[in-house]
Amino acid sequence: MDVSLVPADTSEDVRERGHKVAVLPVGSYEQHGPYLPLATDTLVACAVAREVADAYPVHLLPPVTIGCSHEHAGWPGTVSISAVTLHAVVRDIADSLRRSGVEALVVVNGHGGNYVLGNVVQESSARGERLALFPAAEDWETARRRAGVVTSLLTDMHAGEIETSILLHAHPEWVRPGYEAADCVADDRRHLLSLGMSGYTASGVIGRPSLGSAEKGKELLASLADSFAECFALLTGVTVTVSDEAGGDA
């Protein structure tokens, strides 16, 4: 794993900052066509989480690198854990953080198939615990428009314009040649849960990666950092903008 994905904090760093909101990137380890790495969703989640941590007073955690990728089981290299396991892992992390004085957790999800993360947040919130799931579809739509991403969120389902753009910006060394001619559109995916990805794509790609660019990736992340302000205020009651210094307590 790229060491830049793992925070270099010491225990004293965390104590001195005293942040009350933690940010947990959750990704996956699944096929992303022949040109993006298996770790793409984890890299995307980490890029979003790092952008947030650079702009807000939050405690950045290392990523959960394997998620629920059962729809990609037909491709070599894909590894999954069960929804029950992922649910338990995130719950345990949230419980551990609360015991150490971190009162709120934001789960930054990089993989659409991690449906259970929504259940974790919903159930925890009903118990009075402070959890949130970020980004929401509305945050992605705002980012898509701001960045000039042409492909709709429906069409840009997997290894498409958005993911390729973010990696071209944040980790260009991980992007292999071939994305320029790998477009595949399959908007009607009503039987995805039964058929898996192989029912809709031979390459593993669903989207238009040929339209990806590093400039779009940079704008996507900047927009998501702006959108995080509402999530942060919801959990803390504190209004912070990305222009504020991200060093204060919350």
Side-chain angles (χ1 to χ4, degrees):
M1 178 184 291
D2 186 336
V3 294
S4 67
L5 302 180
V6 181
D9 295 332
T10 67
S11 185
E12 285 305 307
D13 293 333
V14 176
R15 188 195 312 276
E16 289 173 9
R17 289 195 295 263
H19 296 331
K20 301 301 182 183
V21 178
V23 173
L24 174 67
V26 179
S28 70
Y29 198 72
E30 65 187 37
Q31 71 82 21
H32 274 76
Y35 56 88
L36 294 184
L38 292 159
T40 291
D41 289 341
T42 298
L43 293 169
V44 168
C46 286
V48 174
R50 173 60 68 182
E51 195 84 6
V52 165
D54 286 345
Y56 298 86
V58 298
H59 175 38
L60 181 62
L61 298 171
V64 176
T65 58
I66 297 177
C68 303
S69 302
H70 309 284
E71 69 274 26
H72 299 276
W75 278 269
T78 296
V79 181
S80 288
I81 57 177
S82 72
V84 172
T85 299
L86 184 56
H87 189 294
V89 167
V90 176
R91 278 291 313 281
D92 284 355
I93 290 170
D95 291 346
S96 177
L97 287 166
R98 279 191 297 275
R99 288 193 295 271
S100 68
V102 180
E103 299 167 359
L105 174 64
V106 179
V107 179
V108 175
N109 183 30
H111 171 49
N114 289 336
Y115 309 116
V116 71
L117 295 177
N119 298 114
V120 177
V121 171
Q122 188 178 49
E123 294 166 13
S124 298
S125 298
R127 288 191 297 269
E129 300 164 5
R130 286 195 277 171
L131 268 75
L133 185 61
F134 183 84
E138 293 83 356
D139 300 317
W140 279 116
E141 180 61 22
T142 298
R144 182 186 76 82
R145 293 179 182 275
R146 172 170 160 179
V149 170
V150 176
T151 317
S152 70
L153 294 181
L154 172 65
T155 299
D156 198 59
M157 185 255 189
H158 189 72
E161 186 176 359
I162 288 176
E163 290 185 321
T164 301
S165 293
I166 290 176
L167 260 66
L168 284 172
H169 167 64
H171 296 282
E173 70 280 6
W174 291 56
V175 181
R176 299 187 185 187
Y179 69 90
E180 305 90 344
D183 293 2
C184 174
V185 175
D187 285 352
D188 186 346
R189 303 184 296 271
R190 70 188 72 190
H191 302 299
L192 178 67
L193 296 180
S194 298
L195 297 176
M197 287 286 289
S198 60
Y200 297 94
T201 172
S203 67
V205 177
I206 296 180
R208 295 192 178 98
S210 67
L211 300 177
S213 72
E215 294 76 15
K216 291 177 182 178
K218 181 179 180 180
E219 283 302 310
L220 284 163
L221 293 176
S223 178
L224 292 173
D226 286 345
S227 293
F228 186 79
E230 186 173 349
C231 181
F232 187 82
L234 179 69
L235 293 174
T236 66
V238 176
T239 300
V240 177
T241 66
V242 292
S243 62
D244 293 334
E245 184 176 351
D249 291 343

